[in-house]
Amino acid sequence: MNIGIVGAGIVGLAVARELARTRGVKVTVLDKEDHVGAHQTGHNSGVVHAGIYYQPGSLKAKLCREGVALLRQYCAEHRIPYDEVGKLVVASTAAERPGLRKIAERARENGVPDIAELDALALREVEPHTVGVAAVHSPHTAIADFPAVARRLAVDVEEMGGSVLLSHPVRALRETASGVNVQAGERRLSFDRLIVCAGLGTDTVARMAGAAGDVRIIPFRGEYYALAGTSKDLVRGLIYPVPDPRYPFLGVHLTRRIDGEVLVGPNAVMALALEGYSWGDINLTDLRRILAWGGTRRLAAKHWRTGVREVLGSMSKRSFLTAARRYVPALTGADLVRTTGGVRAQAVARDGSMLDDFAIDVHGRVTLVRNAPSPAATSSLAIARHIVGLASVLTS
Ligand SMILES: Cc1cc2nc3c(=O)[nH]c(=O)nc-3n(C[C@H](O)[C@H](O)[C@H](O)COP(=O)(O)OP(=O)(O)OC[C@H]3O[C@@H](n4cnc5c(N)ncnc54)[C@H](O)[C@@H]3O)c2cc1C
């Protein structure tokens, strides 16, 4: 069997490696960019989530826990930086205590090890410069170098006889009785099956496959500031707010990265292009498609207040500083320096709801990963096992 994979992000590469490793099939990964992990995989917080937040029984809950174990082992085998710096979810007011308690219950239900509930004094033993009324501590939440994982997965794929074809944008595809014909860059390729892990490009490739489906990818930019100089020393690990359960995003947090930087962010603003990394990136075709989707309009109608707040916040450093100072009051404006962000591919249904769980859809010989937002980098090796294990992916 000969299988094509669209997307050399961490999910596509993990799927390719799993297919080559466990099924011995010939795999070809196609990506439009000139390096692997060019989009979400290379522009995220770098946190190996422990599985705290996710609805018990969901794919996210299951594959995040499995993914952590697989990723830890993979990083150890390949000497890829991985560090269990630990995470605090901090309630800064008494009103947030019930939300915090739910997080602790959910974490335990999901099998997250060594979860502890801390009071105001105990949380300062973990993060001496952090304030709050209470916190949940997850000591095994880690940070890792996801782009390095993606690069290593690409090497594995090639060592197992597969190919990773960069600068090969998929421009057209046609399903035939015996396979899928793909136009990628200047080449025409034929596969028995195609698996689409195209992140922000999912809808474009889905349309080519005649499988537009019932959800659309809406791009939500996440912007960050980095802490400058010695202010980095105010944060040991990961400091998160109690998330708003109405949204899949976790709220602006402080994140120590594997390269020693400490980030403040990300917020969540709707981008004006699928790959809209800044307000200047506007793509009218993308924008028309995004706005034509009924789900976008319903989402905007429900959440316009939050949307306006996020847009105003995006324009002002002060809003990031306020969010960070809520947990680390010693920070000042001079400590925050703007840095690059990322764009999340978030699937939105026709009714305006944001899909919470990972979503995979098999359409004839084409399998589409429709929704792989955070914690999909953490879960990538487990998502790969899950996809390869779906009977319909290889036999339909
Ligand atoms: C701001 C931010 C913070 C995040 N923080 C975390 C975190 O801390 N922990 C965590 O686990 N997850 C986090 N995530 C989520 C995580 O980054 C993603 O879930 C994960 O990287 C998804 O991987 P992917 O391979 O599906 O997508 P991507 O990495 O986006 O890869 C998709 C690939 O498809 C390619 N492609 C698209 N269209 C085409 C086409 N037509 N032809 C050829 N190639 C194509 C693209 O070039 C791209 O390389 C975060 C995401 C963002 C944006």
Side-chain angles (χ1 to χ4, degrees), residues 7 9-11 30-33 39-41 43-47 49 168-170 197-198 201 205 224 343-344 372-378:
I10 199 166
V11 175
L30 304 164
D31 202 290
K32 62 191 177 67
E33 305 296 349
H39 288 288
Q40 295 174 93
T41 299
H43 295 89
N44 61 42
S45 299
V47 177
H49 289 288
H168 275 69
V170 171
C197 310
V205 183
Y224 293 93
V343 185
R344 307 171 183 86
S374 184
T378 302

PDB file of all heavy atoms in Angstrom, residues 7 9-11 30-33 39-41 43-47 49 168-170 197-198 201 205 224 343-344 372-378, ligand 1:
ATOM      1  N   GLY A   7       0.646  17.484   4.856  1.00  0.00           N
ATOM      2  CA  GLY A   7       0.990  18.237   6.062  1.00  0.00           C
ATOM      3  C   GLY A   7       2.170  17.632   6.796  1.00  0.00           C
ATOM      4  O   GLY A   7       2.077  16.518   7.315  1.00  0.00           O
ATOM      5  N   GLY A   9       3.367  18.826   9.579  1.00  0.00           N
ATOM      6  CA  GLY A   9       3.351  19.295  10.965  1.00  0.00           C
ATOM      7  C   GLY A   9       3.553  18.072  11.839  1.00  0.00           C
ATOM      8  O   GLY A   9       3.744  16.940  11.343  1.00  0.00           O
ATOM      9  N   ILE A  10       3.478  18.254  13.139  1.00  0.00           N
ATOM     10  CA  ILE A  10       3.778  17.154  14.054  1.00  0.00           C
ATOM     11  C   ILE A  10       2.753  16.016  13.911  1.00  0.00           C
ATOM     12  O   ILE A  10       3.112  14.840  14.051  1.00  0.00           O
ATOM     13  CB  ILE A  10       3.878  17.683  15.511  1.00  0.00           C
ATOM     14  CG1 ILE A  10       4.638  16.705  16.405  1.00  0.00           C
ATOM     15  CG2 ILE A  10       2.520  18.035  16.102  1.00  0.00           C
ATOM     16  CD1 ILE A  10       5.074  17.296  17.747  1.00  0.00           C
ATOM     17  N   VAL A  11       1.499  16.352  13.562  1.00  0.00           N
ATOM     18  CA  VAL A  11       0.476  15.307  13.440  1.00  0.00           C
ATOM     19  C   VAL A  11       0.702  14.486  12.166  1.00  0.00           C
ATOM     20  O   VAL A  11       0.759  13.250  12.203  1.00  0.00           O
ATOM     21  CB  VAL A  11      -0.958  15.905  13.489  1.00  0.00           C
ATOM     22  CG1 VAL A  11      -2.004  14.835  13.228  1.00  0.00           C
ATOM     23  CG2 VAL A  11      -1.214  16.562  14.855  1.00  0.00           C
ATOM     24  N   LEU A  30       3.583  15.340   2.108  1.00  0.00           N
ATOM     25  CA  LEU A  30       3.656  16.519   1.231  1.00  0.00           C
ATOM     26  C   LEU A  30       3.420  17.776   2.055  1.00  0.00           C
ATOM     27  O   LEU A  30       2.461  17.831   2.831  1.00  0.00           O
ATOM     28  CB  LEU A  30       2.558  16.431   0.163  1.00  0.00           C
ATOM     29  CG  LEU A  30       2.569  15.162  -0.698  1.00  0.00           C
ATOM     30  CD1 LEU A  30       1.229  15.012  -1.424  1.00  0.00           C
ATOM     31  CD2 LEU A  30       3.720  15.220  -1.692  1.00  0.00           C
ATOM     32  N   ASP A  31       4.276  18.753   1.913  1.00  0.00           N
ATOM     33  CA  ASP A  31       4.011  20.041   2.585  1.00  0.00           C
ATOM     34  C   ASP A  31       4.358  21.176   1.653  1.00  0.00           C
ATOM     35  O   ASP A  31       5.308  21.101   0.871  1.00  0.00           O
ATOM     36  CB  ASP A  31       4.796  20.171   3.893  1.00  0.00           C
ATOM     37  CG  ASP A  31       4.143  21.199   4.820  1.00  0.00           C
ATOM     38  OD1 ASP A  31       4.196  22.416   4.506  1.00  0.00           O
ATOM     39  OD2 ASP A  31       3.545  20.794   5.837  1.00  0.00           O
ATOM     40  N   LYS A  32       3.567  22.240   1.749  1.00  0.00           N
ATOM     41  CA  LYS A  32       3.782  23.374   0.853  1.00  0.00           C
ATOM     42  C   LYS A  32       4.974  24.224   1.280  1.00  0.00           C
ATOM     43  O   LYS A  32       5.529  24.961   0.483  1.00  0.00           O
ATOM     44  CB  LYS A  32       2.522  24.226   0.760  1.00  0.00           C
ATOM     45  CG  LYS A  32       2.075  24.862   2.058  1.00  0.00           C
ATOM     46  CD  LYS A  32       0.675  25.436   1.871  1.00  0.00           C
ATOM     47  CE  LYS A  32       0.119  26.025   3.153  1.00  0.00           C
ATOM     48  NZ  LYS A  32       0.809  27.210   3.633  1.00  0.00           N
ATOM     49  N   GLU A  33       5.379  24.130   2.550  1.00  0.00           N
ATOM     50  CA  GLU A  33       6.466  24.982   3.046  1.00  0.00           C
ATOM     51  C   GLU A  33       7.828  24.304   2.821  1.00  0.00           C
ATOM     52  O   GLU A  33       7.884  23.119   2.522  1.00  0.00           O
ATOM     53  CB  GLU A  33       6.258  25.276   4.540  1.00  0.00           C
ATOM     54  CG  GLU A  33       4.904  25.875   4.874  1.00  0.00           C
ATOM     55  CD  GLU A  33       4.666  27.267   4.260  1.00  0.00           C
ATOM     56  OE1 GLU A  33       5.616  27.878   3.732  1.00  0.00           O
ATOM     57  OE2 GLU A  33       3.500  27.723   4.289  1.00  0.00           O
ATOM     58  N   HIS A  39       3.969  25.744  10.576  1.00  0.00           N
ATOM     59  CA  HIS A  39       2.825  26.519  11.090  1.00  0.00           C
ATOM     60  C   HIS A  39       2.575  26.226  12.573  1.00  0.00           C
ATOM     61  O   HIS A  39       3.445  26.536  13.393  1.00  0.00           O
ATOM     62  CB  HIS A  39       1.613  26.334  10.173  1.00  0.00           C
ATOM     63  CG  HIS A  39       1.853  27.076   8.871  1.00  0.00           C
ATOM     64  ND1 HIS A  39       1.820  28.445   8.799  1.00  0.00           N
ATOM     65  CD2 HIS A  39       2.244  26.646   7.647  1.00  0.00           C
ATOM     66  CE1 HIS A  39       2.144  28.845   7.574  1.00  0.00           C
ATOM     67  NE2 HIS A  39       2.407  27.757   6.843  1.00  0.00           N
ATOM     68  N   GLN A  40       1.434  25.627  12.928  1.00  0.00           N
ATOM     69  CA  GLN A  40       1.138  25.507  14.370  1.00  0.00           C
ATOM     70  C   GLN A  40       2.252  24.804  15.164  1.00  0.00           C
ATOM     71  O   GLN A  40       2.583  25.196  16.286  1.00  0.00           O
ATOM     72  CB  GLN A  40      -0.157  24.731  14.570  1.00  0.00           C
ATOM     73  CG  GLN A  40      -1.382  25.452  14.011  1.00  0.00           C
ATOM     74  CD  GLN A  40      -2.582  24.547  14.109  1.00  0.00           C
ATOM     75  OE1 GLN A  40      -3.313  24.611  15.081  1.00  0.00           O
ATOM     76  NE2 GLN A  40      -2.785  23.698  13.125  1.00  0.00           N
ATOM     77  N   THR A  41       2.834  23.762  14.558  1.00  0.00           N
ATOM     78  CA  THR A  41       3.869  22.990  15.270  1.00  0.00           C
ATOM     79  C   THR A  41       5.058  23.855  15.670  1.00  0.00           C
ATOM     80  O   THR A  41       5.672  23.630  16.714  1.00  0.00           O
ATOM     81  CB  THR A  41       4.320  21.815  14.359  1.00  0.00           C
ATOM     82  OG1 THR A  41       3.178  20.997  14.128  1.00  0.00           O
ATOM     83  CG2 THR A  41       5.438  20.993  14.972  1.00  0.00           C
ATOM     84  N   HIS A  43       4.852  27.229  16.110  1.00  0.00           N
ATOM     85  CA  HIS A  43       4.415  28.501  16.708  1.00  0.00           C
ATOM     86  C   HIS A  43       3.443  28.230  17.842  1.00  0.00           C
ATOM     87  O   HIS A  43       2.262  28.571  17.746  1.00  0.00           O
ATOM     88  CB  HIS A  43       3.712  29.379  15.663  1.00  0.00           C
ATOM     89  CG  HIS A  43       4.600  29.826  14.557  1.00  0.00           C
ATOM     90  ND1 HIS A  43       4.780  29.089  13.415  1.00  0.00           N
ATOM     91  CD2 HIS A  43       5.381  30.924  14.426  1.00  0.00           C
ATOM     92  CE1 HIS A  43       5.620  29.731  12.616  1.00  0.00           C
ATOM     93  NE2 HIS A  43       6.005  30.829  13.206  1.00  0.00           N
ATOM     94  N   ASN A  44       3.917  27.572  18.885  1.00  0.00           N
ATOM     95  CA  ASN A  44       3.011  27.324  20.007  1.00  0.00           C
ATOM     96  C   ASN A  44       3.722  27.531  21.331  1.00  0.00           C
ATOM     97  O   ASN A  44       4.861  27.966  21.358  1.00  0.00           O
ATOM     98  CB  ASN A  44       2.358  25.935  19.888  1.00  0.00           C
ATOM     99  CG  ASN A  44       3.377  24.830  19.894  1.00  0.00           C
ATOM    100  OD1 ASN A  44       4.319  24.854  20.662  1.00  0.00           O
ATOM    101  ND2 ASN A  44       3.193  23.851  19.015  1.00  0.00           N
ATOM    102  N   SER A  45       3.038  27.225  22.430  1.00  0.00           N
ATOM    103  CA  SER A  45       3.616  27.511  23.757  1.00  0.00           C
ATOM    104  C   SER A  45       4.652  26.475  24.171  1.00  0.00           C
ATOM    105  O   SER A  45       5.371  26.685  25.147  1.00  0.00           O
ATOM    106  CB  SER A  45       2.511  27.550  24.821  1.00  0.00           C
ATOM    107  OG  SER A  45       1.577  28.550  24.541  1.00  0.00           O
ATOM    108  N   GLY A  46       4.662  25.328  23.484  1.00  0.00           N
ATOM    109  CA  GLY A  46       5.659  24.304  23.822  1.00  0.00           C
ATOM    110  C   GLY A  46       5.353  23.535  25.091  1.00  0.00           C
ATOM    111  O   GLY A  46       6.252  22.955  25.706  1.00  0.00           O
ATOM    112  N   VAL A  47       4.076  23.511  25.485  1.00  0.00           N
ATOM    113  CA  VAL A  47       3.712  22.829  26.738  1.00  0.00           C
ATOM    114  C   VAL A  47       3.226  21.404  26.441  1.00  0.00           C
ATOM    115  O   VAL A  47       2.376  21.198  25.577  1.00  0.00           O
ATOM    116  CB  VAL A  47       2.596  23.615  27.470  1.00  0.00           C
ATOM    117  CG1 VAL A  47       2.148  22.873  28.733  1.00  0.00           C
ATOM    118  CG2 VAL A  47       3.083  25.014  27.816  1.00  0.00           C
ATOM    119  N   HIS A  49       0.972  19.134  27.725  1.00  0.00           N
ATOM    120  CA  HIS A  49      -0.153  19.174  28.665  1.00  0.00           C
ATOM    121  C   HIS A  49      -0.328  17.813  29.331  1.00  0.00           C
ATOM    122  O   HIS A  49      -0.169  16.775  28.682  1.00  0.00           O
ATOM    123  CB  HIS A  49      -1.434  19.586  27.937  1.00  0.00           C
ATOM    124  CG  HIS A  49      -1.407  21.029  27.531  1.00  0.00           C
ATOM    125  ND1 HIS A  49      -1.523  22.044  28.446  1.00  0.00           N
ATOM    126  CD2 HIS A  49      -1.244  21.629  26.327  1.00  0.00           C
ATOM    127  CE1 HIS A  49      -1.443  23.217  27.829  1.00  0.00           C
ATOM    128  NE2 HIS A  49      -1.267  22.990  26.534  1.00  0.00           N
ATOM    129  N   HIS A 168       5.992  21.316  -1.733  1.00  0.00           N
ATOM    130  CA  HIS A 168       5.051  20.591  -2.605  1.00  0.00           C
ATOM    131  C   HIS A 168       3.617  20.901  -2.175  1.00  0.00           C
ATOM    132  O   HIS A 168       2.978  20.094  -1.495  1.00  0.00           O
ATOM    133  CB  HIS A 168       5.293  19.077  -2.525  1.00  0.00           C
ATOM    134  CG  HIS A 168       6.368  18.597  -3.437  1.00  0.00           C
ATOM    135  ND1 HIS A 168       7.695  18.910  -3.248  1.00  0.00           N
ATOM    136  CD2 HIS A 168       6.307  17.833  -4.567  1.00  0.00           C
ATOM    137  CE1 HIS A 168       8.406  18.356  -4.214  1.00  0.00           C
ATOM    138  NE2 HIS A 168       7.596  17.707  -5.031  1.00  0.00           N
ATOM    139  N   PRO A 169       3.112  22.089  -2.537  1.00  0.00           N
ATOM    140  CA  PRO A 169       1.730  22.411  -2.168  1.00  0.00           C
ATOM    141  C   PRO A 169       0.741  21.505  -2.900  1.00  0.00           C
ATOM    142  O   PRO A 169       0.876  21.314  -4.115  1.00  0.00           O
ATOM    143  CB  PRO A 169       1.572  23.871  -2.620  1.00  0.00           C
ATOM    144  CG  PRO A 169       2.640  24.088  -3.633  1.00  0.00           C
ATOM    145  CD  PRO A 169       3.764  23.158  -3.299  1.00  0.00           C
ATOM    146  N   VAL A 170      -0.190  20.948  -2.186  1.00  0.00           N
ATOM    147  CA  VAL A 170      -1.233  20.140  -2.829  1.00  0.00           C
ATOM    148  C   VAL A 170      -2.232  21.102  -3.461  1.00  0.00           C
ATOM    149  O   VAL A 170      -2.829  21.936  -2.777  1.00  0.00           O
ATOM    150  CB  VAL A 170      -1.899  19.201  -1.796  1.00  0.00           C
ATOM    151  CG1 VAL A 170      -3.126  18.524  -2.381  1.00  0.00           C
ATOM    152  CG2 VAL A 170      -0.889  18.173  -1.311  1.00  0.00           C
ATOM    153  N   CYS A 197      -3.638  16.124   7.091  1.00  0.00           N
ATOM    154  CA  CYS A 197      -3.322  16.695   8.416  1.00  0.00           C
ATOM    155  C   CYS A 197      -2.820  18.102   8.147  1.00  0.00           C
ATOM    156  O   CYS A 197      -1.674  18.435   8.440  1.00  0.00           O
ATOM    157  CB  CYS A 197      -2.238  15.887   9.116  1.00  0.00           C
ATOM    158  SG  CYS A 197      -2.548  14.112   9.161  1.00  0.00           S
ATOM    159  N   ALA A 198      -3.670  18.922   7.540  1.00  0.00           N
ATOM    160  CA  ALA A 198      -3.195  20.179   6.952  1.00  0.00           C
ATOM    161  C   ALA A 198      -3.462  21.394   7.829  1.00  0.00           C
ATOM    162  O   ALA A 198      -3.276  22.532   7.379  1.00  0.00           O
ATOM    163  CB  ALA A 198      -3.813  20.368   5.566  1.00  0.00           C
ATOM    164  N   GLY A 201      -4.855  24.631   6.590  1.00  0.00           N
ATOM    165  CA  GLY A 201      -5.203  24.380   5.182  1.00  0.00           C
ATOM    166  C   GLY A 201      -6.226  23.266   5.008  1.00  0.00           C
ATOM    167  O   GLY A 201      -6.532  22.880   3.865  1.00  0.00           O
ATOM    168  N   VAL A 205      -7.993  21.723   1.338  1.00  0.00           N
ATOM    169  CA  VAL A 205      -7.750  20.376   0.808  1.00  0.00           C
ATOM    170  C   VAL A 205      -9.064  19.569   0.829  1.00  0.00           C
ATOM    171  O   VAL A 205      -9.336  18.808  -0.103  1.00  0.00           O
ATOM    172  CB  VAL A 205      -6.634  19.662   1.618  1.00  0.00           C
ATOM    173  CG1 VAL A 205      -6.340  18.292   1.027  1.00  0.00           C
ATOM    174  CG2 VAL A 205      -5.363  20.507   1.636  1.00  0.00           C
ATOM    175  N   TYR A 224       1.932  36.797  21.693  1.00  0.00           N
ATOM    176  CA  TYR A 224       2.737  36.632  22.905  1.00  0.00           C
ATOM    177  C   TYR A 224       3.648  37.831  23.138  1.00  0.00           C
ATOM    178  O   TYR A 224       4.083  38.495  22.189  1.00  0.00           O
ATOM    179  CB  TYR A 224       3.682  35.433  22.762  1.00  0.00           C
ATOM    180  CG  TYR A 224       3.061  34.065  22.681  1.00  0.00           C
ATOM    181  CD1 TYR A 224       2.768  33.488  21.448  1.00  0.00           C
ATOM    182  CD2 TYR A 224       2.818  33.328  23.833  1.00  0.00           C
ATOM    183  CE1 TYR A 224       2.246  32.210  21.359  1.00  0.00           C
ATOM    184  CE2 TYR A 224       2.300  32.041  23.761  1.00  0.00           C
ATOM    185  CZ  TYR A 224       2.013  31.485  22.521  1.00  0.00           C
ATOM    186  OH  TYR A 224       1.503  30.221  22.435  1.00  0.00           O
ATOM    187  N   VAL A 343      -1.020  30.818  14.875  1.00  0.00           N
ATOM    188  CA  VAL A 343      -2.441  30.850  14.513  1.00  0.00           C
ATOM    189  C   VAL A 343      -3.025  29.455  14.727  1.00  0.00           C
ATOM    190  O   VAL A 343      -2.513  28.473  14.180  1.00  0.00           O
ATOM    191  CB  VAL A 343      -2.657  31.295  13.049  1.00  0.00           C
ATOM    192  CG1 VAL A 343      -4.151  31.441  12.758  1.00  0.00           C
ATOM    193  CG2 VAL A 343      -1.939  32.608  12.760  1.00  0.00           C
ATOM    194  N   ARG A 344      -4.063  29.396  15.546  1.00  0.00           N
ATOM    195  CA  ARG A 344      -4.698  28.108  15.837  1.00  0.00           C
ATOM    196  C   ARG A 344      -5.715  27.779  14.745  1.00  0.00           C
ATOM    197  O   ARG A 344      -6.472  28.664  14.324  1.00  0.00           O
ATOM    198  CB  ARG A 344      -5.475  28.149  17.149  1.00  0.00           C
ATOM    199  CG  ARG A 344      -4.717  28.636  18.370  1.00  0.00           C
ATOM    200  CD  ARG A 344      -5.724  28.797  19.476  1.00  0.00           C
ATOM    201  NE  ARG A 344      -5.178  29.320  20.710  1.00  0.00           N
ATOM    202  CZ  ARG A 344      -5.041  30.615  20.991  1.00  0.00           C
ATOM    203  NH1 ARG A 344      -5.385  31.532  20.103  1.00  0.00           N
ATOM    204  NH2 ARG A 344      -4.578  30.993  22.160  1.00  0.00           N
ATOM    205  N   ALA A 372      -7.636  19.544  15.157  1.00  0.00           N
ATOM    206  CA  ALA A 372      -6.494  19.082  15.979  1.00  0.00           C
ATOM    207  C   ALA A 372      -5.837  20.278  16.658  1.00  0.00           C
ATOM    208  O   ALA A 372      -4.670  20.576  16.431  1.00  0.00           O
ATOM    209  CB  ALA A 372      -5.486  18.327  15.122  1.00  0.00           C
ATOM    210  N   PRO A 373      -6.625  20.974  17.505  1.00  0.00           N
ATOM    211  CA  PRO A 373      -6.041  22.101  18.230  1.00  0.00           C
ATOM    212  C   PRO A 373      -5.294  21.596  19.461  1.00  0.00           C
ATOM    213  O   PRO A 373      -5.159  20.378  19.650  1.00  0.00           O
ATOM    214  CB  PRO A 373      -7.274  22.916  18.635  1.00  0.00           C
ATOM    215  CG  PRO A 373      -8.336  21.873  18.833  1.00  0.00           C
ATOM    216  CD  PRO A 373      -8.015  20.739  17.894  1.00  0.00           C
ATOM    217  N   SER A 374      -4.829  22.497  20.304  1.00  0.00           N
ATOM    218  CA  SER A 374      -4.151  22.097  21.537  1.00  0.00           C
ATOM    219  C   SER A 374      -5.046  21.132  22.313  1.00  0.00           C
ATOM    220  O   SER A 374      -6.257  21.349  22.381  1.00  0.00           O
ATOM    221  CB  SER A 374      -3.875  23.340  22.393  1.00  0.00           C
ATOM    222  OG  SER A 374      -3.146  22.975  23.533  1.00  0.00           O
ATOM    223  N   PRO A 375      -4.566  20.037  22.844  1.00  0.00           N
ATOM    224  CA  PRO A 375      -3.182  19.617  22.999  1.00  0.00           C
ATOM    225  C   PRO A 375      -2.726  18.624  21.925  1.00  0.00           C
ATOM    226  O   PRO A 375      -2.142  17.579  22.248  1.00  0.00           O
ATOM    227  CB  PRO A 375      -3.209  18.938  24.365  1.00  0.00           C
ATOM    228  CG  PRO A 375      -4.549  18.211  24.359  1.00  0.00           C
ATOM    229  CD  PRO A 375      -5.480  19.083  23.577  1.00  0.00           C
ATOM    230  N   ALA A 376      -2.929  18.962  20.645  1.00  0.00           N
ATOM    231  CA  ALA A 376      -2.593  17.982  19.605  1.00  0.00           C
ATOM    232  C   ALA A 376      -1.084  17.805  19.436  1.00  0.00           C
ATOM    233  O   ALA A 376      -0.648  16.744  19.005  1.00  0.00           O
ATOM    234  CB  ALA A 376      -3.227  18.369  18.272  1.00  0.00           C
ATOM    235  N   ALA A 377      -0.281  18.816  19.780  1.00  0.00           N
ATOM    236  CA  ALA A 377       1.169  18.602  19.694  1.00  0.00           C
ATOM    237  C   ALA A 377       1.568  17.577  20.765  1.00  0.00           C
ATOM    238  O   ALA A 377       2.275  16.606  20.479  1.00  0.00           O
ATOM    239  CB  ALA A 377       1.910  19.918  19.867  1.00  0.00           C
ATOM    240  N   THR A 378       1.072  17.781  21.976  1.00  0.00           N
ATOM    241  CA  THR A 378       1.311  16.826  23.074  1.00  0.00           C
ATOM    242  C   THR A 378       0.860  15.425  22.679  1.00  0.00           C
ATOM    243  O   THR A 378       1.522  14.434  22.964  1.00  0.00           O
ATOM    244  CB  THR A 378       0.493  17.257  24.319  1.00  0.00           C
ATOM    245  OG1 THR A 378       0.877  18.576  24.688  1.00  0.00           O
ATOM    246  CG2 THR A 378       0.671  16.299  25.472  1.00  0.00           C
TER     247      THR A 378
HETATM  248  C1  LIG B   1      -0.621  29.827  19.790  1.00  0.00           C
HETATM  249  C2  LIG B   1      -0.684  28.336  19.940  1.00  0.00           C
HETATM  250  C3  LIG B   1      -0.332  27.734  21.157  1.00  0.00           C
HETATM  251  C4  LIG B   1      -0.399  26.344  21.289  1.00  0.00           C
HETATM  252  N1  LIG B   1       0.093  25.760  22.431  1.00  0.00           N
HETATM  253  C5  LIG B   1       0.159  24.399  22.496  1.00  0.00           C
HETATM  254  C6  LIG B   1       0.796  23.759  23.582  1.00  0.00           C
HETATM  255  O1  LIG B   1       1.381  24.405  24.449  1.00  0.00           O
HETATM  256  N2  LIG B   1       0.772  22.397  23.638  1.00  0.00           N
HETATM  257  C7  LIG B   1       0.163  21.638  22.671  1.00  0.00           C
HETATM  258  O2  LIG B   1       0.141  20.407  22.793  1.00  0.00           O
HETATM  259  N3  LIG B   1      -0.431  22.229  21.611  1.00  0.00           N
HETATM  260  C8  LIG B   1      -0.411  23.582  21.495  1.00  0.00           C
HETATM  261  N4  LIG B   1      -0.958  24.181  20.400  1.00  0.00           N
HETATM  262  C9  LIG B   1      -1.597  23.346  19.380  1.00  0.00           C
HETATM  263  C10 LIG B   1      -0.578  22.636  18.492  1.00  0.00           C
HETATM  264  O3  LIG B   1       0.434  23.512  18.054  1.00  0.00           O
HETATM  265  C11 LIG B   1      -1.330  22.046  17.309  1.00  0.00           C
HETATM  266  O4  LIG B   1      -2.431  21.330  17.786  1.00  0.00           O
HETATM  267  C12 LIG B   1      -0.462  21.086  16.491  1.00  0.00           C
HETATM  268  O5  LIG B   1       0.769  21.687  16.163  1.00  0.00           O
HETATM  269  C13 LIG B   1      -1.199  20.673  15.240  1.00  0.00           C
HETATM  270  O6  LIG B   1      -0.284  20.020  14.395  1.00  0.00           O
HETATM  271  P1  LIG B   1      -0.667  19.742  12.888  1.00  0.00           P
HETATM  272  O7  LIG B   1       0.403  18.910  12.330  1.00  0.00           O
HETATM  273  O8  LIG B   1      -2.081  19.242  12.847  1.00  0.00           O
HETATM  274  O9  LIG B   1      -0.751  21.196  12.213  1.00  0.00           O
HETATM  275  P2  LIG B   1       0.398  22.138  11.630  1.00  0.00           P
HETATM  276  O10 LIG B   1       1.614  22.128  12.453  1.00  0.00           O
HETATM  277  O11 LIG B   1      -0.253  23.463  11.387  1.00  0.00           O
HETATM  278  O12 LIG B   1       0.766  21.457  10.240  1.00  0.00           O
HETATM  279  C14 LIG B   1      -0.086  21.503   9.107  1.00  0.00           C
HETATM  280  C15 LIG B   1       0.806  21.488   7.874  1.00  0.00           C
HETATM  281  O13 LIG B   1       0.004  21.347   6.712  1.00  0.00           O
HETATM  282  C16 LIG B   1       0.623  22.072   5.682  1.00  0.00           C
HETATM  283  N5  LIG B   1      -0.342  22.348   4.620  1.00  0.00           N
HETATM  284  C17 LIG B   1      -1.506  23.033   4.705  1.00  0.00           C
HETATM  285  N6  LIG B   1      -2.120  23.092   3.512  1.00  0.00           N
HETATM  286  C18 LIG B   1      -1.335  22.404   2.634  1.00  0.00           C
HETATM  287  C19 LIG B   1      -1.414  22.101   1.237  1.00  0.00           C
HETATM  288  N7  LIG B   1      -2.443  22.513   0.460  1.00  0.00           N
HETATM  289  N8  LIG B   1      -0.420  21.381   0.664  1.00  0.00           N
HETATM  290  C20 LIG B   1       0.645  20.942   1.393  1.00  0.00           C
HETATM  291  N9  LIG B   1       0.780  21.222   2.722  1.00  0.00           N
HETATM  292  C21 LIG B   1      -0.196  21.912   3.330  1.00  0.00           C
HETATM  293  C22 LIG B   1       1.140  23.323   6.375  1.00  0.00           C
HETATM  294  O14 LIG B   1       2.190  23.954   5.651  1.00  0.00           O
HETATM  295  C23 LIG B   1       1.593  22.772   7.712  1.00  0.00           C
HETATM  296  O15 LIG B   1       2.984  22.503   7.739  1.00  0.00           O
HETATM  297  C24 LIG B   1      -0.887  25.557  20.221  1.00  0.00           C
HETATM  298  C25 LIG B   1      -1.230  26.160  18.996  1.00  0.00           C
HETATM  299  C26 LIG B   1      -1.096  27.540  18.847  1.00  0.00           C
HETATM  300  C27 LIG B   1      -1.374  28.138  17.509  1.00  0.00           C
END
